[in-house]
Amino acid sequence: MDNVKDTLRSYILEHFQIEADDPDFGDDVHLFDYGFVDSLGATEIVLFLEETFHIQITQKDITLYPMNTVNEIAEVVERKLKG
């Protein structure tokens, strides 16, 4: 899971222009509540994950599983990779 988490974290930091030493950013920080990502950004993250990991994140996944933090998103990706 570390590879998924590292890839995801790097993408979010770069794509949303977050400083790596931002004290408010971390793997358990709610990306939406803290204003790091908005609804358009959520769509961009899903597309990135689908292209990078060759998975499909469905509306059912979004409804069933929390995807608000780096850790939560990485868990969903790992679940999809395992089948």
Side-chain angles (χ1 to χ4, degrees):
M1 181 151 110
D2 287 340
N3 183 43
V4 171
K5 197 183 311 184
D6 291 344
T7 301
L8 175 60
R9 184 186 318 105
S10 294
Y11 172 78
I12 291 171
L13 287 170
E14 182 179 329
H15 189 75
F16 298 101
Q17 300 176 350
I18 303 167
E19 296 295 325
D21 61 351
D22 187 318
D24 292 328
F25 184 82
D27 291 349
D28 288 316
V29 169
H30 195 292
L31 298 170
F32 305 99
D33 285 353
Y34 276 75
F36 290 116
V37 179
D38 60 14
S39 58
L40 178 60
T43 302
E44 292 170 342
I45 291 171
V46 168
L47 291 173
F48 168 77
L49 296 172
E50 290 179 337
E51 291 173 6
T52 302
F53 296 105
H54 308 289
I55 59 173
Q56 183 178 14
I57 297 181
T58 64
Q59 186 61 44
K60 183 177 180 180
D61 296 323
I62 294 169
T63 302
L64 288 177
Y65 307 110
M67 296 179 67
N68 302 307
T69 69
V70 170
N71 282 331
E72 290 174 349
I73 297 168
E75 286 176 20
V76 171
V77 172
E78 286 291 330
R79 186 178 293 118
K80 299 297 270 186
L81 289 172
K82 289 179 183 175

